[in-house]
Amino acid sequence: MACGLAVLVVSTPVCWDSNTTEGVRAYRESQLATKPFVGIVAVVLLTAVFARIAAIHPQNHMASRIVRVLQGLLLVMWAWTFCTASTFGFATPLLWLTGVALLEWTAGRIRKRTPRALFVSAFLALWLMTAAIYPPLWLLDAVQERTGIVFHIPTNDAVVYLTLDDAPSPKTADILSLLSREQAQVTFFFEGQRLGDDSLNSVALQAVRDGHRFGNHQYSRRIGAMLTENEFRSELEEFDRAAESFGSTNWVRPANGFVNPSMLRTIRERGQTCVLGDCFPWDYLHGSTTFNVRYITSRIRPGSIIILHDGPGRAESTIETLSRLLSLLKQRGYQVKALPSRPLPLN
């Protein structure tokens, strides 16, 4: 049960600022965003329970049958996750959850639950959790080299690239003021449907006039991996029409960071590049600016791409994070820039 409970704790979104109105809204939004995980977590826990029963009472054939059914269900979930979400984007938590589930399944079949077996099981679960939250930079580099998805722009210069998703929002003007004071630039990944609001459209246009750049974050928040190839292409084209007055962009970041080969093919056919990032503190799942700052500063390197979020319920946390982060990066000698207008050679 230890592994299963660990999964439940880590996959449950936390909001340290939930006493504020914006914090409560962000917390509720993050709860909705994690609904797909609930079924997997439930099966993990059920598998753990019945596997323990089967291990302690070998004569209980019903428990063994239930475990086999749950094992099959987990395999189906794993196959579905692999086919729809791939391992390229931020689908890591789904694969991680199923990995822990399979680990618990294996551990539950050990007839003699020795302290060593429990320790190994807990250690592997902890390692998987850490790998999901802090994906190794070398692994992201390997995925980038193999797939062309940009997580990091190799450079010897002391420069990092700041990106903000889900813009524009009513707080975008405050973000622009902060960036102006700190002499930093950003790439806003606009959500196309937000540009239909005149007030938000004007602040987005002001951002571009101030020298910041923008990228395609789809027209809506529909998960691209759940769409057909034509539907995903339509999302990108609708964004182009919504952002026509801003010019064009070569950067695409699919909504929610889910990427599969079909989406990559569509992006490339349009002459664009898919970009994610190597410094993503999972800020949309919590409200801790301290965690955001510590996470980013612990992973930053020349050419890093930082991901934070604008948008309802998240912009205020981002403003506080940036007010602390930008000064720390300046102390370390880093320049904070927007992504280059055209993707640079990665080799």
Side-chain angles (χ1 to χ4, degrees):
M1 285 293 288
C3 297
L5 289 174
V7 172
L8 184 61
V9 170
V10 173
S11 62
T12 300
V14 179
C15 183
W16 285 272
D17 299 330
S18 59
N19 58 321
T20 67
T21 302
E22 293 295 327
V24 170
R25 187 181 295 114
Y27 176 76
R28 288 173 179 168
E29 288 182 0
S30 64
Q31 289 281 13
L32 292 175
T34 56
K35 278 189 175 181
F37 298 118
V38 174
I40 295 177
V41 173
V43 176
V44 169
L45 295 176
L46 286 173
T47 303
V49 170
F50 284 102
R52 293 296 172 81
I53 294 173
I56 296 172
H57 304 288
Q59 71 280 6
N60 191 329
H61 301 299
M62 179 59 71
S64 298
R65 293 191 188 98
I66 293 175
V67 168
R68 283 195 289 272
V69 171
L70 292 173
Q71 290 169 1
L73 183 57
L74 285 172
L75 289 175
V76 170
M77 287 180 169
W78 181 87
W80 175 83
T81 301
F82 183 82
C83 292
T84 59
S86 183
T87 59
F88 299 153
F90 300 138
T92 308
L94 277 174
L95 293 177
W96 165 72
L97 283 171
T98 53
V100 174
L102 294 173
L103 170 67
E104 190 65 41
W105 156 27
T106 303
R109 294 177 68 84
I110 300 175
R111 298 299 181 183
K112 187 177 181 181
R113 302 290 295 184
T114 64
R116 181 177 178 180
L118 289 171
F119 174 79
V120 170
S121 178
F123 175 80
L124 290 176
L126 181 61
W127 183 86
L128 287 167
M129 285 188 285
T130 304
I133 300 171
Y134 298 91
L137 296 176
W138 61 263
L139 179 59
L140 296 182
D141 290 343
V143 172
Q144 174 169 306
E145 183 176 350
R146 180 179 177 184
T147 66
I149 299 173
V150 178
F151 291 90
H152 161 256
I153 298 178
T155 179
N156 293 322
D157 298 329
V159 58
V160 295
Y161 301 97
L162 176 62
T163 65
L164 297 179
D165 288 0
D166 301 340
S169 79
K171 293 292 183 179
T172 301
D174 295 333
I175 293 175
L176 292 175
S177 298
L178 173 60
L179 293 172
S180 177
R181 289 196 303 271
E182 297 291 341
Q183 297 182 324
Q185 292 181 309
V186 64
T187 298
F188 287 100
F189 279 90
F190 292 145
E191 187 177 315
Q193 63 185 359
R194 294 179 186 271
L195 298 177
D197 183 293
D198 290 341
S199 60
L200 296 182
N201 187 287
S202 63
V203 75
L205 188 58
Q206 184 60 49
V208 175
R209 287 173 177 167
D210 288 348
H212 302 288
R213 297 199 173 105
F214 75 96
N216 188 329
H217 201 38
Q218 296 182 202
Y219 182 77
S220 70
R221 294 192 56 79
R222 299 169 70 192
I223 298 176
M226 300 294 188
L227 305 177
T228 66
E229 190 167 345
N230 287 336
E231 287 174 333
F232 178 65
R233 186 186 301 275
S234 176
E235 280 278 321
L236 300 182
E237 292 173 348
E238 285 187 63
F239 174 90
D240 290 341
R241 288 190 287 272
E244 187 175 6
S245 60
F246 300 93
S248 60
T249 178
N250 291 291
W251 297 106
V252 174
R253 178 174 290 158
N256 298 290
F258 289 94
V259 187
N260 64 26
S262 172
M263 296 166 64
L264 277 180
R265 182 169 57 252
T266 299
I267 292 170
R268 287 171 182 156
E269 287 174 354
R270 287 167 46 87
Q272 295 174 305
T273 299
C274 180
V275 59
L276 298 179
D278 59 352
C279 290
F280 172 47
W282 303 91
D283 60 310
Y284 71 96
L285 291 178
H286 62 83
S288 174
T289 57
T290 298
F291 178 83
N292 291 341
V293 172
R294 289 180 177 176
Y295 183 101
I296 293 170
T297 54
S298 69
R299 292 172 62 84
I300 206 74
R301 54 178 172 163
S304 280
I305 298 174
I306 300 168
I307 302 174
L308 290 170
H309 285 77
D310 195 351
R314 303 183 182 111
E316 290 184 343
S317 173
T318 293
I319 291 171
E320 185 177 344
T321 296
L322 288 176
S323 65
R324 299 167 58 183
L325 178 65
L326 294 176
S327 59
L328 289 174
L329 293 176
K330 188 180 294 184
Q331 291 172 16
R332 294 191 183 187
Y334 283 107
Q335 287 184 296
V336 180
K337 295 185 176 182
L339 292 170
S341 57
R342 296 194 67 84
L344 301 175
L346 299 179
N347 297 326

